[in-house]
Amino acid sequence: MSEVLRMEGISKSFGPVQALSDVSLTLHTGEVLALMGENGAGKSTLMNILCGALTNYQGRIYINDEQVHINSPHHARNLGIAKIHQELQLVPELSVSENMFMGRERRNRLGFVDKKGMEKEAQEYLDLLELGIDSSRPVKTLRVGEQQMVEIAKAISLNTRILIMDEPTSAISRAETEQLFNIIRKLSGDGVAIIYITHRLEEVFQISDRIIVIRDGFYVDTLGTKATGRNEIISLMVGREISNVYPKETVPIGEEVLRVEKLSLRPPRGSAHRPLEKISFSLHKGEVLGIGGLLGSGRSELFECIFGVHPGHCSADIYVDGKKTDIRSPREAIAAGISFATEDRKGKGLVLLRSLGENMSLPMLKQLSRFMFMQKQEEMVLWQEQMDSMRIKAPSYNTQCATLSGGNQQKVILGRWMITKPKVLLLDEPTRGIDVGSKAEIYALISTLASQGIGIIVISSDLPEILGITDRIITLCEGRQTGHFLKGEATQETLLHAATSIKEGAE
């Protein structure tokens, strides 16, 4: 394979913070190179330099042995470089085709935008991925996973020679991930070189040819994928051994804290939400209950119904501490002792331009105010308590949330809900997009919270994760409950079978 990219001695600082120090890598035609490192290691900075988002840096970049200085994303695109961002880069109000051709719109002979032509061409790329999405459909009507796949189709449509994939599977199902891997194999077979960034180690061993590891802005090592193992990669990434990836204390299971009976959801016409059909389960104090299922199975809708997000469209009998409770809004859910950490950490979970302390206070504004003024001293005591108990790595509680790593942002959300003293904690994809070291810390926090008697329900698309941190697991498929497994009974195979079979839940 011929060398298509070489980056030599790349360094970049932001004021006094040195983000990259003398990092080098090479990439060959048709190769899949996994770029590994914890949050804050410098992966995104290095790729932002390559795709033209950062232009003031030290070092040299060679494309096909010719030195270049990439001065803009447009310049990068002309050089055949495209990036799929972890955070979606789509305009919700526009159609799929308009998003795919934004900035490079097709025009007819009269100079007008050729909308039909763009829809037809966009549809060809969507069909290549076997997505079943209409290119004329508004992006805002798509689920997060479907939007991620549109991003992938958009990047493929650019006819790139170097494709950067930043956490491309973080919001898509296992089946969609397999589709993506098939596309990656096809692209690499056609000579496209791919830089693949992920925190899911099993994907690295499934799809990559080589692995490069960076830590704290420094190059650590490059390894052949077949010549290394999971523990070695983790050790290189974090600089220490992580012996227990899924730390879980043995916690005595207490009395029933939550019971849900015959929960159904009938979303309004045109809604992207999945209907739910008569779902029932219970949760006990100190228990961690897992919700398994593919993307679009209704997992998030289940949490939203319990949290009062769909009043008027959801019906259920909900009992908290044995008492029947009507929940018609998130406010009523919080008052009943139920807290909900959404999967969309940055879009719905946090106000990124506010401090981590202010974000923690959000569910408790009324309780922490007197005569319309916030009680700052009371707030600051609570903020510091949660910073200490959650081990949030930040200079102070006045630090802006946008500057925190994904793992620390997740800890801020957990700290916020701990202030409300919940009985039930709903966690939707709590480790999505965070590194292996931070994941272990989140797992340890979940175990600690369970030991305090909190009932916890976790949604996760990561099968080893949900097997490792839960006491029981129920599965959903197409809005119906299809399986129930005690700890030790479930395997990845049995969970996947239940998550793809509707027969058990059909009536």
Side-chain angles (χ1 to χ4, degrees):
M1 294 186 292
S2 61
E3 183 181 276
V4 66
L5 168 69
R6 185 166 76 255
M7 303 179 78
E8 294 181 347
I10 303 298
S11 298
K12 173 65 181 176
S13 62
F14 298 93
V17 178
Q18 190 71 32
L20 291 172
S21 299
D22 196 27
V23 175
S24 300
L25 67 79
T26 57
L27 182 67
H28 299 90
T29 302
E31 179 183 34
V32 180
L33 176 68
L35 177 58
M36 305 294 292
E38 293 190 276
N39 286 101
K43 306 186 300 296
S44 294
T45 300
L46 185 64
M47 292 300 98
N48 284 337
I49 289 172
L50 180 58
C51 69
L54 295 174
T55 58
N56 184 20
Y57 61 91
Q58 293 78 48
R60 297 167 300 282
I61 299 176
Y62 297 86
I63 304 292
N64 295 324
D65 288 327
E66 181 179 344
Q67 186 172 353
V68 297
H69 185 93
I70 303 173
N71 53 40
S72 70
H74 183 73
H75 184 202
R77 193 172 72 193
N78 288 341
L79 291 170
I81 302 169
K83 181 180 180 183
I84 299 170
H85 297 266
Q86 179 181 355
E87 302 302 328
L88 299 176
Q89 305 287 306
L90 301 172
V91 180
E93 302 300 327
L94 297 181
S95 71
V96 170
S97 63
E98 288 169 328
N99 271 278
M100 287 181 63
F101 289 98
M102 188 179 299
R104 54 191 184 103
E105 289 80 4
R106 303 290 189 258
R107 299 187 180 276
N108 59 27
R109 290 177 297 176
L110 299 177
F112 295 104
V113 173
D114 184 5
K115 185 176 179 180
K116 291 297 182 183
M118 290 194 302
E119 289 178 356
K120 181 180 178 182
E121 187 173 347
Q123 194 65 53
E124 292 175 357
Y125 290 105
L126 295 169
D127 292 343
L128 177 66
L129 292 176
E130 300 179 359
L131 297 182
I133 297 173
D134 188 336
S135 65
S136 63
R137 187 174 168 184
V139 162
K140 66 181 180 182
T141 66
L142 303 179
R143 296 186 59 81
V144 173
E146 292 174 321
Q147 292 183 28
Q148 182 70 69
M149 294 300 280
V150 168
E151 286 270 33
I152 294 167
K154 177 181 177 180
I156 293 172
S157 74
L158 293 170
N159 193 29
T160 62
R161 306 314 301 165
I162 299 173
L163 180 59
I164 305 164
M165 292 185 165
D166 190 354
E167 297 284 357
T169 65
S170 62
I172 63 178
S173 70
R174 188 185 183 97
E176 289 169 327
T177 297
E178 289 301 324
Q179 289 180 9
L180 171 64
F181 287 174
N182 289 333
I183 294 298
I184 289 175
R185 295 183 185 103
K186 181 180 184 302
L187 291 173
S188 64
D190 291 339
V192 177
I194 298 170
I195 299 177
Y196 193 91
I197 302 173
T198 184
H199 293 307
R200 296 179 175 178
L201 290 176
E202 66 275 9
E203 294 182 1
V204 171
F205 293 101
Q206 188 173 352
I207 200 66
S208 71
D209 300 300
R210 288 189 302 141
I211 302 167
I212 179 172
V213 180
I214 60 176
R215 184 175 70 238
D216 298 329
F218 291 89
Y219 167 83
V220 177
D221 204 354
T222 301
L223 310 100
T225 303
K226 293 181 179 178
T228 187
R230 178 187 178 93
N231 291 338
E232 182 180 10
I233 297 301
I234 291 175
S235 179
L236 291 173
M237 285 171 58
V238 303
R240 64 188 188 279
E241 296 289 341
I242 297 182
S243 57
N244 188 2
V245 178
Y246 302 110
K248 189 175 189 323
E249 300 178 29
T250 301
V251 176
I253 305 301
E255 299 175 350
E256 181 183 89
V257 66
L258 175 71
R259 185 163 83 255
V260 175
E261 295 182 351
K262 297 181 179 179
L263 185 149
S264 297
L265 173 65
R266 296 289 179 267
R269 184 184 293 251
S271 171
H273 293 292
R274 162 72 68 182
L276 303 176
E277 188 69 32
K278 296 182 180 179
I279 296 172
S280 300
F281 62 89
S282 63
L283 175 71
H284 295 78
K285 294 180 179 179
E287 183 180 33
V288 181
L289 174 66
I291 306 291
L294 303 180
L295 189 75
S297 63
R299 301 172 307 170
S300 296
E301 286 86 350
L302 175 62
F303 275 10
E304 290 169 357
C305 286
I306 296 171
F307 201 60
V309 175
H310 301 291
H313 300 288
C314 176
S315 62
D317 292 329
I318 297 178
Y319 298 82
V320 179
D321 284 337
K323 182 180 179 181
K324 189 172 182 180
T325 307
D326 290 328
I327 299 175
R328 294 159 296 186
S329 69
R331 183 190 298 273
E332 292 182 355
I334 294 170
I338 300 173
S339 297
F340 176 26
T342 174
E343 67 172 329
D344 189 357
R345 182 171 60 241
K346 294 186 177 182
K348 297 178 181 178
L350 294 169
V351 182
L352 292 174
L353 298 182
R354 290 290 185 176
S355 71
L356 67 89
E358 290 172 308
N359 271 277
M360 285 185 185
S361 292
L362 286 176
M364 300 286 288
L365 293 178
K366 185 175 181 180
Q367 294 88 333
L368 293 171
S369 64
R370 302 288 186 277
F371 306 109
M372 297 190 302
F373 292 96
M374 299 303 295
Q375 300 300 295
K376 277 295 180 185
Q377 291 301 319
E378 188 177 346
E379 278 190 299
M380 289 188 289
V381 170
L382 290 173
W383 296 345
Q384 191 61 56
E385 287 177 353
Q386 295 308 318
M387 279 195 71
D388 295 340
S389 64
M390 296 292 153
R391 299 180 183 177
I392 298 171
K393 297 175 184 177
S396 77
Y397 42 66
N398 292 317
T399 302
Q400 192 180 84
C401 273
T403 66
L404 301 178
S405 68
N408 282 298
Q409 288 178 347
Q410 192 66 46
K411 291 179 186 178
V412 170
I413 293 174
L414 290 176
R416 165 203 293 166
W417 293 120
M418 288 308 99
I419 290 176
T420 70
K421 301 189 183 306
K423 300 173 183 176
V424 176
L425 182 59
L426 310 178
L427 302 177
D428 193 351
E429 300 284 4
T431 63
R432 177 189 169 202
I434 63 178
D435 60 72
V436 65
S438 296
K439 281 183 178 182
E441 293 181 356
I442 296 296
Y443 300 149
L445 280 173
I446 290 173
S447 185
T448 298
L449 296 175
S451 71
Q452 297 171 6
I454 298 172
I456 301 173
I457 310 179
V458 179
I459 290 173
S460 177
S461 299
D462 187 334
L463 293 181
E465 174 178 277
I466 204 169
L467 288 167
I469 67 174
T470 60
D471 299 297
R472 284 189 299 130
I473 302 170
I474 64 173
T475 55
L476 302 182
C477 180
E478 297 183 9
R480 292 176 181 266
Q481 192 168 337
T482 58
H484 176 246
F485 304 89
L486 298 176
K487 188 172 183 66
E489 291 181 345
T491 64
Q492 293 192 48
E493 290 74 20
T494 57
L495 286 182
L496 187 58
H497 175 74
T500 55
S501 173
I502 197 61
K503 293 180 181 179
E504 295 178 47
E507 295 187 349

